[in-house]
Amino acid sequence: MAEVSSILLYVSFILYLIATLFFGASIRQKKGIQKQNPVSRTSVAGKIGIIITSIGFVLQLGYFVTRWIAGGYPPISNMFEFITFFSIMLVGAFMILYYLYRIPALGVFALPIVVILIGYASMFSRDITPLSPTLQSNWLIVHVMTTAAGQAILAISFVAGLIYLVKNVQQMSRAKAFWVEAIMFVLIIFVGFIAASTTFSIANYEMDLMYVNKEGEETQVTYHLPVIFGPHEYTVISEGGMEPLIELPAWVNAKQLNTLTWSFLTGAVIYLVIRLLARRRIADLLQPVLQKMNNDILDEVSYRSVLIGFPVFTLGALIFGMIYAHFAWGRFWAWDPKEVWALITWFFYSAFLHLRLSRGWHGEKSAWLAVIGFAIIMFNLIFVNLVIAGLHSYAV
């Protein structure tokens, strides 16, 4: 059953890539959303794109169910499972908003983020292991699922905001245009991660090392990318691969830094190739395709996503999270890093709604807030989970 689950996830990954191409073709065919008719007729390419997306969504739900059956518990207990579940919720949120607004560009930006999330999840262990006692709670299921759903809806706000910024990039100052391009560069770094991981996976590259962890114990680690940064006091077990160029201290996660380095290098190469061939910024390349889209509709999608996602996130991350913490650790709040950043996220989106409703922050200002909000969510997901130690370290 676990093997079937992996196959379903892989097929959905491929379908999302294909659907992205059809949504892109739909934009070129329709040349954006007509201002006089926000919910305009969908082109043939757009219809094919949403059909393929729907099939991928069903298959990804199949992955979730089969992995649940294989493990005997909902697959939301570690980084691989949470990120893939988050991607499921993101696809579901995208599909709902697509049917409401018929904006193919949402698919062009949202589905690549889903692909990136699935690819990023693959760097973590996919083994099905028994749950620790603190995870054996129904409140955990409610807490994690609701949090993921809220974050996924908020992510659509980021997608709409990013489209708004890219569309209007030529009307911005140089400083603002620089930051829009920086966002595109970061997204391409994640593409670089997928490209590097896929390339060396096809080549069946592996390097096994023994090292001394920060507790002073010998541990084995397997690298799937050529080793630039090796762990503390390592010993090479397998032969034929590239030996580490730099040995790192025990408190640094060498494998994750190695993966990040390869992602950055590969993404930088991809970015430079595009820039050299096009002789333009990537945002400038996309801007003409999005030019005829309606700014008001994009702004509305971004705002409504926050309006819906914020209360869902509040329920999941704070209210249900505190109830689960009480049952798991005997207290509602302990200023754990994950709890603190969940609270920071809540305060930020509270400020988003306050500035929107009382100060009239619409359009570009609202779009920037949506982008910053998603950056906070990603910081919480990646950096807080992997770098800052806390009670939620079980999620790694």
Side-chain angles (χ1 to χ4, degrees), residues 271-378:
Y271 178 81
L272 289 175
V273 168
I274 295 174
R275 287 294 302 269
L276 289 173
L277 292 177
R279 297 184 180 180
R280 299 171 65 187
R281 293 176 300 189
I282 293 178
D284 291 337
L285 286 174
L286 296 172
Q287 193 268 345
V289 179
L290 305 173
Q291 188 56 41
K292 292 188 178 182
M293 295 191 68
N294 191 323
N295 282 338
D296 292 336
I297 296 300
L298 292 173
D299 186 55
E300 181 183 340
V301 171
S302 180
Y303 167 61
R304 287 197 176 183
S305 298
V306 175
L307 202 60
I308 298 170
F310 177 70
V312 177
F313 176 80
T314 302
L315 282 173
L318 297 184
I319 297 175
F320 294 152
M322 287 189 289
I323 295 173
Y324 163 67
H326 175 70
F327 280 97
W329 298 299
R331 88 290 180 276
F332 290 101
W333 191 268
W335 297 103
D336 179 71
K338 191 78 172 175
E339 296 172 348
V340 171
W341 276 95
L343 184 61
I344 290 172
T345 305
W346 185 86
F347 274 122
F348 178 85
Y349 281 104
S350 297
F352 179 108
L353 293 174
H354 170 73
L355 292 170
R356 173 92 186 192
L357 297 174
S358 65
R359 299 295 181 89
W361 279 34
H362 297 259
E364 184 182 328
K365 290 181 179 180
S366 181
W368 281 113
L369 289 177
V371 170
I372 295 171
F374 186 70
I376 294 173
I377 290 175
M378 289 296 99

Side-chain angles (χ1 to χ4, degrees), residues 19 22 80 86 117 123 139 167 194 228 231 235 241 254 279 283 318 331 336-337 339 347 355:
F22 278 98
F80 170 76
F86 175 45
L117 286 171
M123 72 175 284
W139 280 110
K167 174 189 177 296
I194 295 174
I228 298 175
T235 303
R279 297 184 180 180
L318 297 184
R331 88 290 180 276
D336 179 71
E339 296 172 348
F347 274 122
L355 292 170

